[in-house]
Every structure is written in C-alpha cells, then in structure tokens.
Amino acid sequence: MEFKKFKAATVQTSPVFLNVEKTIDKAISFVKEAANNGARLIAFPEVFVAGYPYWNWIMTPVQGSKWYEELYKASVDVAGPDIKRLCQAAKDNDIQIVIGINERGKSYGEIYNTNLIIDNKGVIIGKHRKLVPTWAEKLTWSSGDGSSLKVYDTEVGPIGTLACGENTNTLARYTLLTQGELIHIANYISLPVAPADYNMAEAIKIRAAAHSFEGKLFTIVSCSTISQEIMDALKPDVPNVEELLTRKNSAFSGFIGPNGAVIGEPLIDDEGMIYADIDLAKCIQPKQMHDILGHYNRFDIFDLRVNIAPTKNITFINNHEEFNKR
C-alpha cells in the first residue's frame, strides 16, 4: 500500500465581492503561488466565488432581497467558462483545488453553497452541495442532497469536504469517513455577527480537531475574511456595518493532524496562505486505539443508512405508456 506524502496549502482571504471574473483571477494567482512553492493541494474558503450573503445577518429579509438578486447574477454554472479557467489552472500547475462557489440552479430562486473538487488534470471530480444552510443562510441557499456525500480519489489521496456548519453534523462526517476519507477540507466564512460570547475562530478549530481525532485523518481548514470592500458595499443599507462585521477571532485557517492537534501556526483573522507537509501514513497508528470504522464500534447495535439518491423536483409518468408496457 502507498500512503502519500505531499505539501498542502490553505488560503484565508476575501473574494472580490460579487465579481466572479476578478475573484477567479485572485484564486488563480494563489494557485500559481502555491504550486511554485511545491504544494499539490490548495483549499479555498466557503463560497469564495464570489461572496457570502452577509446581508442575511444585518438586514431584514426585505432589505436583503435586492442583494439576493445580485448574488444570483454573480452565481456560476459549474460547466461555465469561469470554472473552466480554474480547471485549466489546476492542470497547468499540477495541483488539486477545493473551492467554494455559489452554484446557480435552474430556477431563479435556486442557489447552492457548493464545494468543487478539481483534480490536477483539470477535471471536476466532485461537487458537494451544503446539506443544510445554517441559520440566516436559509434566506439564500437551497439544500443539497445525499448524492454529494462522497470521497474522491486523487493523486494525493482520498479527499472529502463539508462546508462550514455542516462540519458539526456527525452523521455527515461519519458518512465520509466510511468511504476512506484521509484528507478532509472544511471551509468557512468569517462570522463576526455571532453572539458576543461566541469565538468563531475557536469554534472552527474545535470542529476540525474533533473530525481529525475521531477519524484519525488530516483536516485542512480554509476561511474567508471580510474586506473593507464588502463593508463599503453594504454600508448604504447598514450605516453601522463596520460595528457589525468587525470583531477579533472571527476567522481560522490551518491544518489539523490525525491526533487532533494543530500543525504549525494557523491564521487567525489575518489574510494569507500557509502550508503544511502531509504524511498520510500517520493516519494508521492512531486507529489502533480508536477505529470507529472497525474494531471500536458496534455495528450490531448501530445502523446508519444514507439516501444517496439525487433530489428531483418532478417525476413525469405516462400512464398510457406504462399500461402498454405490461
């Protein structure tokens, strides 16, 4: 058996707000820098292309409605030219990319919080839609389904991903673990509008550590930041936007090892890109103590069933044809 060793990169930055083309440009610049520094995998934040609906938290639903329209116009088709540019960058730089996008649905009221997994050949090998939008996010995103709860084989190892709050979903995380996940990408947004006693950076770290320790794998965290550009855009509707969207300990990006410990120095609030050396063989020994996929579980007691059928909004049935087939 071969357990890969490679360098990984994770990004903590803001998108160019609601500007898909310039955000893709920014992403590609990070991809090139990471590859030039020897990285084989790079992780980007949640809905990095091209922005998070912060208006859901600081405006009424009626106020935020015009911003939903702007976000829909700035959402992307996975098969469209913008994502093709990212795929080409992955191929040109021989690097795997995991990145969050606002994915446009077929209906104008349908946007998905989606993570794309692009391999180093430039092929989109995975597309995970966030299962349940968190709290105020329900005003913007549609829910994903079980068909995207998958782990994908890549040249650096088996990769799975969940977006933000769904990293607290034990059953979703377990579903990925059972498929041999060894590299977990957990991407987030900065959330300074949380309750006063909520430390977002610490909460992100706790979630990542829990998944790594329970599953004995590596977790790579990528979190966005809130730029002055974002606040300036929203300020005409919310004059005290800086007060609402500026707070310390709102963003955490970094690497967690199979023992649940942080590798190196994480990024907290600051923008940038950091690296870590990953050795997947280090996932083996810890399982001798706790292997919740094997000897440290009781499958005669517990039975998890996962519906992986894609959700359909309509099924057409021609009863006449059905009758004639009998």
Side-chain angles (χ1 to χ4, degrees):
M1 298 181 66
E2 183 182 8
F3 291 84
K4 302 287 186 175
K5 294 181 180 180
F6 63 95
K7 179 183 282 189
T10 189
V11 176
Q12 182 158 284
T13 192
S14 60
V16 181
F17 192 47
L18 301 183
N19 188 317
V20 173
E21 183 178 359
K22 289 184 178 179
T23 298
I24 296 290
D25 289 341
K26 187 172 184 177
I28 290 174
S29 70
F30 277 109
V31 167
K32 291 178 178 177
E33 180 182 343
N36 287 338
N37 287 324
R40 299 292 316 285
L41 166 65
I42 183 171
F44 285 94
E46 179 183 20
V47 290
F48 186 65
V49 183
Y52 179 83
Y54 281 106
W55 52 88
N56 287 345
W57 300 89
I58 60 177
M59 299 182 195
T60 67
V62 174
Q63 284 178 301
S65 182
K66 68 176 183 180
W67 286 103
Y68 173 87
E69 182 176 342
E70 293 301 314
L71 183 66
Y72 184 83
K73 292 175 180 177
S75 60
V76 294
D77 180 355
V78 171
D82 299 299
I83 301 304
K84 286 181 179 177
R85 291 177 59 212
L86 265 180
C87 293
Q88 188 63 47
K91 181 179 180 180
D92 291 344
N93 293 278
D94 191 26
I95 193 170
Q96 331 285 325
I97 300 173
V98 180
I99 189 169
I101 65 169
N102 286 282
E103 181 194 357
R104 183 181 307 151
K106 293 182 179 179
S107 168
Y108 300 139
E110 188 181 14
I111 307 174
Y112 294 97
N113 178 333
T114 298
N115 282 344
L116 297 181
I117 301 95
I118 305 171
D119 73 8
N120 60 318
K121 308 299 183 186
V123 177
I124 299 173
I125 59 172
K127 183 182 77 171
H128 172 66
R129 291 173 169 174
K130 191 173 186 178
L131 298 177
V132 181
T134 305
W135 204 351
E137 295 171 357
K138 292 178 175 67
L139 292 167
T140 292
W141 292 317
S142 299
S143 295
D145 58 44
S147 66
S148 71
L149 276 177
K150 294 180 180 179
V151 172
Y152 303 92
D153 288 328
T154 72
E155 288 191 9
V156 297
I159 294 175
T161 182
L162 294 172
C164 201
E166 64 182 346
N167 284 284
T168 65
N169 189 323
T170 305
L171 302 184
R173 294 192 295 105
Y174 183 79
T175 300
L176 296 180
L177 293 177
T178 62
Q179 298 173 68
E181 182 186 44
L182 293 180
I183 307 160
H184 181 75
I185 311 298
N187 56 6
Y188 289 82
I189 50 90
S190 175
L191 190 63
V193 292
D197 60 349
Y198 189 77
N199 184 321
M200 181 66 171
E202 185 66 16
I204 293 172
K205 184 178 74 171
I206 289 170
R207 284 181 254 195
H211 189 58
S212 278
F213 185 81
E214 290 171 5
K216 314 307 182 193
L217 47 60
F218 288 89
T219 295
I220 303 173
V221 181
S222 177
C223 187
S224 64
T225 58
I226 301 175
S227 64
Q228 188 62 47
E229 176 203 18
I230 294 173
M231 292 188 285
D232 288 344
L234 301 176
K235 194 167 187 175
D237 292 308
V238 185
N240 65 331
V241 65
E242 280 97 348
E243 176 187 345
L244 296 172
L245 295 184
T246 304
R247 190 172 73 173
K248 291 183 178 180
N249 297 315
S250 294
F252 174 101
S253 295
F255 304 87
I256 311 291
N259 59 356
V262 176
I263 301 170
E265 290 294 325
L267 288 171
I268 298 179
D269 294 337
D270 296 331
E271 293 204 345
M273 178 164 58
I274 55 176
Y275 301 87
D277 292 319
I278 306 295
D279 179 1
L280 296 185
K282 291 184 178 179
C283 298
I284 302 172
Q285 192 278 332
K287 280 182 174 280
Q288 186 177 12
M289 183 181 297
H290 303 124
D291 182 10
I292 61 174
L293 307 177
H295 67 77
Y296 206 69
N297 218 321
R298 289 289 302 276
F299 301 113
D300 55 329
I301 300 173
F302 304 113
D303 180 13
L304 174 62
R305 302 184 184 198
V306 181
N307 179 8
I308 61 171
T311 298
K312 297 188 293 183
N313 60 9
I314 190 168
T315 300
F316 291 98
I317 299 174
N318 187 325
N319 288 327
H320 180 69
E321 286 187 3
E322 289 296 316
F323 178 80
N324 288 337
K325 288 179 181 178
R326 293 192 181 102

